[in-house]
Amino acid sequence: MSHCLLRQDILATDDAKKREYSEMFTPAANVPEYLRLLLDRYPDFSKDAVVIANIGGKINRYHGNNDHTTVCVNQCRVAWEWLNSIQCLVAYDYGLGAVSICRNLFELVAGTIFLIENPNKLQDFIDCGKVVAYEVVESMIGAAPQYTSRRGEDSQKYLQAFKDKADYDNLRKRFGKEKWHGKTIKALADAVGMKALYDSFYKETSAIAHGDAFVTLSYKNGAWGLGKDVGSWSSYCEAALDFSLVAMSMLYHRTVHKLELPFVSDVEAVMGRLVQKGLLSL
């Protein structure tokens, strides 16, 4: 992110817009309970929320004029869902859950940025989704054949038609066990400029997401302990807020500039907030 050029005139928000943002976070504005809890626990969070909500809302409502832009914006909408899920868990002090979802957000952001920068991979992205779609349906029918019978369909005929439409056999051969981008998560992170986040945060979030012993191990005075007080996991809450803000900022910055969306000043305001918090150095 160090390549971002931030102009102070862009970052300056006029008084009218400041008033508009502040009104978004008053009780009268029908703010969800979890956001009110977040604001109570982290008063400074409102400064993050107003800038990310502004750009996020605009991108979520944007309609592209080509398939590549449409798919990438759709991915931004998924990321928005993850962001709000993280914030909701933090609001109720579920640090482990919040930081675990940060791993999902990281992979989504890295993959979306790679897709943004490599439009020639769009068909691979879509086709890989068809493979998963067929395998999900196949597993669902295998586990619950009544799924299609309730709809008046023969399950095997339905499955074969779905398989043919998805061109599953050819796609399965084409992809093998690889993802659409053909990279490991580490290589993907390197390719899109997220190596620092991968090295500093991803390994820890992965250990938490996989339920490794790391979560409950402690080391003190030369000895290992086999348990932690659940209160210690609260420390992950603030880390999850900062990580998700950085990840979403990277995603939005690349989306706006690479896809030429008309939200440059909005995304630069987000990057400026990272600078203010010490999360981005110029």
Side-chain angles (χ1 to χ4, degrees), residues 13-176:
T13 306
D14 60 38
D15 292 338
K17 182 157 285 189
K18 285 180 181 177
R19 285 195 299 272
E20 175 189 340
Y21 289 165
S22 65
E23 289 168 2
M24 293 168 59
F25 296 94
T26 60
N30 197 27
V31 175
E33 180 185 59
Y34 78 88
L35 279 179
R36 290 198 295 272
L37 291 173
L38 270 177
L39 291 170
D40 288 341
R41 291 187 64 194
Y42 306 98
D44 213 35
F45 171 73
S46 62
K47 297 176 184 178
D48 302 344
V50 291
V51 292
I52 206 72
N54 181 49
I55 182 64
K58 290 180 178 180
I59 290 179
N60 287 346
R61 293 188 296 271
Y62 187 81
H63 296 285
N65 57 7
N66 60 75
D67 288 345
H68 180 246
T69 297
T70 296
V71 169
C72 292
V73 168
N74 281 338
Q75 291 298 96
C76 288
R77 295 184 181 120
V78 177
W80 179 256
E81 182 84 0
W82 284 129
L83 174 67
N84 282 271
S85 299
I86 291 165
Q87 292 174 351
C88 187
L89 286 168
V90 170
Y92 292 97
D93 202 29
Y94 289 111
L96 281 183
V99 83
S100 178
I101 296 179
C102 284
R103 176 179 183 266
N104 299 74
L105 180 62
F106 179 93
E107 294 185 8
L108 174 65
V109 168
T112 303
I113 290 175
F114 186 79
L115 181 60
I116 287 171
E117 296 185 339
N118 296 274
N120 60 306
K121 299 295 288 184
L122 176 62
Q123 194 59 51
D124 287 338
F125 177 78
I126 294 170
D127 286 344
C128 197
K130 292 177 183 177
V131 171
V132 176
Y134 171 76
E135 291 176 349
V136 168
V137 172
E138 182 183 41
S139 299
M140 188 160 41
I141 290 177
Q146 68 273 20
Y147 170 72
T148 49
S149 63
R150 283 199 302 267
R151 298 166 53 186
E153 299 173 286
D154 177 88
S155 61
Q156 292 307 311
K157 286 183 178 179
Y158 176 86
L159 190 61
Q160 187 59 51
F162 196 108
K163 187 175 187 177
D164 293 343
K165 190 68 175 177
D167 195 23
Y168 175 78
D169 290 334
N170 289 328
L171 293 181
R172 181 77 275 177
K173 290 176 184 176
R174 187 168 116 211
F175 290 112

Side-chain angles (χ1 to χ4, degrees), residues 216-227:
T216 54
L217 281 177
S218 61
Y219 185 79
K220 188 175 181 180
N221 299 326
W224 287 103
L226 301 181

